[in-house]
Amino acid sequence: TVSIQMAGNLWKVHVKAGDQIEKGQEVAILESMKMEIPIVADRSGIVKEVKKKEGDFVNEGDVLLELSNSTQ
Amino acid sequence: MRSTLRKDLIELFSQAGNEFISGQKISDALGCSRTAVWKHIEELRKEGYEVEAVRRKGYRLIKKPGKLSESEIRFGLKTEVMGQHLIYHDVLSSTQKTAHELANNNAPEGTLVVADKQTAGRGRMSRVWHSQEGNGVWMSLILRPDIPLQKTPQLTLLAAVAVVQGIEEAAGIQTDIKWPNDILINGKKTVGILTEMQAEEDRVRSVIIGIGINVNQQPNDFPDELKDIATSLSQAAGEKIDRAGVIQHILLCFEKRYRDYMTHGFTPIKLLWESYALGIGTNMRARTLNGTFYGKALGIDDEGVLLLETNEGIKKIYSADIELG
């Protein structure tokens, strides 16, 4: 999985189910305190499910992406 | 070398005030030939300085350029780090964009990008920021703080505090902060701050703080849609304000507050922020993507999150447009 490191509003999600993502890739942007905070994947894999949608309020530790075949 | 000489030359002129200084005196003071003095004066003229030359008397500085230039920003800058690596352009698409590119190419902490005009100045959420030439300060500062990702929003509050203090020192004008980092004069927007970051997983690679300041705009300089909601330092002061001075004072205040923050953490910044903030202790409306909340603003927490006391208890506001009253 790819999790969210801090609370805020999910502004943009760059990936969808089926996408191959790479470790270090920016997968979404969070908005908090009027800052745009990139969410960067800490592992590679194929997106099985996007658990949050744009506009959602998210908390630190929430899961953003379920991955299959994930590798660190 | 060259810019040190120019800096000394301008300081000589500044000290002399209205008096002439002979070419010989200048060449002695700078330790260069009179031909070199003449060349440096020619370069100052090209940058818009008006230097009067009178036979047997020497030179005197009549007018500094109203135009921004690298020299204008550098001379009199008293910081150690902030702005010392300085990139100035008359025109850029966006200082923020250039700063991102520089940050990707290992630009050091304190690197400052300034433009006299932005052709594609932008604010938060890709909103347009109106940034015509000649009147404003459009700049982006690169930081490389060794702090966890979650702490970076504190830097946007720190920037707001530094801008309020810098404006007060440079222009004698008191401004207010509206959560988290809008800066207002009499309720009208004067400064916008856009903080962005580059991250690697859970690490901060760089934080880029974009600051746009309306300095010398008169009401007619703003497009119609901004006329009622924007103002400038000059309108508040009733006189023209030196833009280089504004930049220098903000950078110096920023450097001091940043040092406080790195040494003592967020508490001293939080206290200053609350002292400059509008509406703490009064009712306000926060429009968020998930609804509008109304209540008394209690202040901010240690993460900078706005605490609103509503009928349903204390609501933490991470992202909202705020309406006072």
Side-chain angles (χ1 to χ4, degrees):
Chain A
T1 59
V2 173
S3 302
I4 289 165
Q5 302 99 325
M6 58 191 290
N9 280 313
L10 198 56
W11 182 41
K12 278 185 180 170
V13 179
H14 303 316
V15 297
K16 57 183 189 312
D19 286 358
Q20 166 78 44
I21 61 164
E22 302 299 329
K23 180 179 168 147
Q25 181 182 338
E26 179 180 303
V27 292
I29 302 177
L30 193 70
E31 206 253 331
S32 183
M33 311 285 302
K34 309 224 167 185
M35 274 182 76
E36 293 167 20
I37 295 141
I39 297 169
V40 177
D42 57 355
R43 61 197 68 212
S44 303
I46 294 166
V47 179
K48 198 160 86 183
E49 192 187 350
V50 180
K51 307 283 280 184
K52 303 281 176 187
K53 59 182 193 302
E54 293 181 359
D56 280 356
F57 178 79
V58 293
N59 264 310
E60 185 178 346
D62 283 0
V63 174
L64 175 66
L65 306 176
E66 293 280 4
L67 301 182
S68 55
N69 303 326
S70 87
T71 51
Q72 278 268 350
Chain B
M1 264 320 282
R2 202 189 59 145
S3 67
T4 317
L5 266 183
R6 293 250 290 280
K7 179 177 178 164
D8 292 345
L9 180 56
I10 294 196
E11 274 177 14
L12 268 183
F13 278 134
S14 303
Q15 283 164 16
N18 269 331
E19 301 294 312
F20 283 91
I21 326 172
S22 72
Q24 188 60 52
K25 226 176 171 176
I26 297 173
S27 85
D28 291 346
L30 299 185
C32 65
S33 71
R34 291 188 62 174
T35 315
V37 168
W38 179 80
K39 277 186 185 157
H40 283 295
I41 287 175
E42 281 308 297
E43 280 190 43
L44 288 183
R45 283 176 169 153
K46 277 185 203 147
E47 284 191 3
Y49 289 82
E50 282 181 37
V51 181
E52 188 183 13
V54 174
R55 267 176 73 92
R56 298 187 179 280
K57 283 184 167 175
Y59 302 94
R60 69 172 172 177
L61 183 61
I62 297 177
K63 209 174 133 204
K64 288 186 175 181
K67 190 177 165 299
L68 267 185
S69 68
E70 185 179 337
S71 312
E72 275 288 286
I73 298 166
R74 209 179 271 287
F75 301 153
L77 180 61
K78 297 194 184 82
T79 58
E80 282 169 22
V81 177
M82 299 302 158
Q84 287 300 330
H85 192 76
L86 176 64
I87 285 84
Y88 172 84
H89 290 279
D90 285 337
V91 182
L92 281 176
S93 65
S94 139
T95 60
Q96 204 70 357
K97 182 166 169 274
T98 302
H100 272 284
E101 290 162 7
L102 290 166
N104 280 331
N105 286 301
N106 300 318
E109 174 153 278
T111 298
L112 182 75
V113 182
V114 184
D116 184 38
K117 175 185 181 171
Q118 297 184 105
T119 54
R122 62 190 176 86
R124 215 163 47 81
M125 311 307 237
S126 311
R127 290 171 190 165
V128 173
W129 181 269
H130 185 71
S131 35
Q132 58 172 184
E133 75 269 26
N135 288 327
V137 165
W138 325 122
M139 63 182 184
S140 297
L141 184 64
I142 299 175
L143 303 175
R144 300 207 178 266
D146 184 14
I147 56 174
L149 206 64
Q150 306 89 277
K151 300 272 184 202
T152 48
Q154 295 173 343
L155 290 172
T156 204
L157 303 171
L158 185 154
V161 165
V163 168
V164 167
Q165 293 182 333
I167 287 174
E168 170 139 37
E169 288 183 12
I173 300 166
Q174 294 195 345
T175 53
D176 304 308
I177 302 174
K178 191 173 96 171
W179 182 89
N181 63 7
D182 276 348
I183 293 180
L184 313 179
I185 297 175
N186 297 327
K188 291 184 174 186
K189 184 139 166 172
T190 314
V191 182
I193 298 173
L194 171 67
T195 305
E196 295 178 301
M197 55 189 288
Q198 299 180 332
E200 265 164 23
E201 298 161 36
D202 57 350
R203 244 189 89 242
V204 175
R205 197 141 45 87
S206 64
V207 174
I208 299 170
I209 300 190
I211 302 174
I213 310 170
N214 298 328
V215 181
N216 284 319
Q217 286 88 345
Q218 296 308 306
N220 286 334
D221 293 323
F222 292 114
D224 284 343
E225 68 272 21
L226 296 181
K227 280 198 168 87
D228 293 333
I229 54 171
T231 189
S232 69
L233 302 184
S234 168
Q235 288 178 55
E239 60 181 354
K240 210 163 178 221
I241 305 289
D242 173 39
R243 287 184 291 163
V246 171
I247 296 172
Q248 290 163 353
H249 283 283
I250 289 174
L251 289 174
L252 189 59
C253 289
F254 192 96
E255 185 164 289
K256 289 179 186 164
R257 299 292 80 80
Y258 190 61
R259 203 169 285 159
D260 291 346
Y261 174 72
M262 286 302 177
T263 315
H264 305 291
F266 186 57
T267 306
I269 305 303
K270 175 178 183 279
L271 293 173
L272 286 169
W273 187 95
E274 286 178 338
S275 74
Y276 301 138
L278 282 175
I280 301 298
T282 68
N283 286 332
M284 57 174 67
R285 187 168 274 110
R287 290 180 200 284
T288 76
L289 287 173
N290 308 300
T292 299
F293 302 93
Y294 184 78
K296 187 166 98 173
L298 300 176
I300 51 176
D301 72 6
D302 286 339
E303 254 64 57
V305 174
L306 181 65
L307 302 173
L308 211 57
E309 188 177 41
T310 70
N311 289 334
E312 286 89 49
I314 292 173
K315 176 81 188 163
K316 284 183 165 194
I317 305 290
Y318 291 87
S319 182
D321 286 319
I322 301 295
E323 264 175 51
L324 299 166

